[in-house]
Amino acid sequence: MSHPDLNLLIALDALLSEGSVAAAARRLNLSPSATSRALARLRETTGDPLLVQAGRRLVPTPRALELRETVGALVEDAQTMLRPQENLDLGRIERDFTLRTSDGFVENYGPALIARLGADAPGLRLRFVLRQGADNSGLRNGHIDLETGVVNASMGPEFRTQALFRDRFVGAMRADSAVAEDIASAKGYAMRRHVDIARHVAGCEHPHAPIDDALALLGLRRNVAVIVGGFSSVLALARETDLVATVPDRHTANLRHGLNTFELPFPSPQVTVSMLWHPRLENDPLHRWVRQCLKETCARTV
């Protein structure tokens, strides 16, 4: 019985990730001709063209899309298995670590996380970038080390996740605006003019927020007058206008200083904020340590 050449899995992973023979060759440190021969052998082995020409670029076949996540995980697991265990010397680390978060996360959890990491690893340079949309390519290509957010169906199945905290929604208004009687009911709340954030999930510009789903069960719909890019802008407008903001409680605690926060007049839906990372970093000692620090920071910070 003949055994398949398992080196082809590494070539397949590079080809499907890069979508280009030339780019895959650079990643594999091979010549383009050698990479083309590997692609030919893969096509013969799988009985599928895998990558086909579309104009000036190669596009994956349905079979290639089916294989892409599986082969990537296999290669990462194999590399992890064969990689020698490192002894983590936090005091000598000189490294950048990129954490992608949504608006408001840095204001609430950043100071405590910076203090926690800096105490043991002063050479670790923490870089926060704002999460916008549902594109997780940064995690796949290594530009992002770790991400926080609400896990949804648009995120690839290959990512590792761990819950950080549960959050609920509250209302916020200008400090000198009393929470009038007309907002004490779900109907009155829905009728007031609201400011909301734009959402980019699964290619949809403004999908329903959890609050809107909860109101829909009551046959109600919010009167959203203004849409902005993030929680900071939502609360800035609520602070200076008569607009009502509805935001996650823990996530925006520091941003709501000076605002009149009130309980919603109907059951508030909850969301779970998690951290996400690519499986190639699963067993990286520094990455594991940062994940543990982030989990501890979120558990302590309210």
Side-chain angles (χ1 to χ4, degrees):
M1 178 180 176
S2 62
H3 296 283
D5 182 358
L6 297 183
N7 286 320
L8 289 176
L9 288 176
I10 299 175
L12 178 60
D13 180 41
L15 284 161
L16 296 184
S17 297
E18 301 293 344
S20 161
V21 171
R26 289 192 295 270
R27 176 169 167 175
L28 296 168
N29 198 25
L30 295 174
S31 66
S33 59
T35 307
S36 293
R37 289 194 296 271
L39 177 57
R41 291 180 61 197
L42 283 164
R43 286 167 169 167
E44 181 181 357
T45 302
T46 61
D48 188 272
L50 298 175
L51 294 168
V52 296
Q53 199 74 35
R56 294 186 176 182
R57 61 192 184 97
L58 295 175
V59 296
T61 65
R63 175 63 172 155
L65 293 174
E66 180 184 334
L67 290 172
R68 182 163 58 189
E69 306 304 344
T70 302
V71 72
L74 284 173
V75 171
E76 293 295 344
D77 288 344
Q79 291 175 339
T80 299
M81 186 181 301
L82 298 175
R83 186 183 300 129
Q85 181 65 40
E86 299 178 19
N87 293 320
L88 185 61
D89 186 350
L90 293 173
R92 300 182 63 181
I93 284 175
E94 293 289 337
R95 178 169 157 184
D96 293 331
F97 192 99
T98 302
L99 175 60
R100 189 167 79 152
T101 66
S102 55
D103 186 36
F105 193 93
V106 176
E107 290 86 344
N108 280 280
Y109 301 101
L113 181 61
I114 291 168
R116 175 69 180 87
L117 298 179
D120 292 329
L124 182 66
R125 292 173 291 272
L126 187 60
R127 177 172 176 257
F128 289 103
V129 296
L130 184 61
R131 185 175 188 274
Q132 294 179 318
D135 180 14
N136 297 115
S137 60
L139 288 174
R140 291 191 179 95
N141 60 31
H143 293 160
I144 304 297
D145 294 297
L146 190 62
E147 183 170 316
T148 67
V150 178
V151 177
N152 55 59
S154 70
M155 295 178 179
E158 81 272 24
F159 296 116
R160 305 288 195 265
T161 65
Q162 186 175 23
L164 291 173
F165 59 87
R166 294 277 289 169
D167 210 346
R168 68 190 184 99
F169 288 85
V170 294
M173 300 176 64
R174 199 174 61 198
D176 59 358
S177 295
V179 180
E181 291 184 5
D182 67 346
I183 207 171
S185 68
K187 183 177 180 180
Y189 162 88
M191 291 177 63
R192 290 291 293 264
R193 286 164 52 85
H194 293 258
V195 55
D196 197 15
I197 64 170
R199 293 174 176 82
H200 307 267
V201 179
C204 182
E205 177 74 11
H206 303 299
H208 287 165
I211 288 297
D212 296 312
D213 293 333
L215 284 172
L217 296 176
L218 303 175
L220 299 171
R221 181 178 180 180
R222 276 192 303 171
N223 175 23
V224 177
V226 179
I227 295 175
V228 294
F231 294 126
S232 296
S233 298
V234 164
L235 293 170
L237 287 179
R239 186 173 280 109
E240 300 296 334
T241 69
D242 290 328
L243 294 169
V244 175
T246 305
V247 293
D249 185 18
R250 289 188 60 179
H251 201 88
T252 63
N254 289 346
L255 296 175
R256 295 199 316 275
H257 287 165
L259 283 167
N260 189 350
T261 298
F262 62 92
E263 297 290 330
L264 298 179
F266 55 93
S268 172
Q270 291 195 336
V271 293
T272 298
V273 176
S274 301
M275 55 180 166
L276 303 89
W277 64 95
H278 195 276
R280 71 173 168 278
L281 297 170
E282 174 74 16
N283 294 313
D284 178 75
L286 178 62
H287 200 276
R288 286 190 299 179
W289 178 71
V290 174
R291 295 198 308 261
Q292 182 61 34
C293 291
L294 180 59
K295 184 178 178 181
E296 293 171 359
T297 298
C298 289
R300 290 195 303 266
T301 306
V302 178

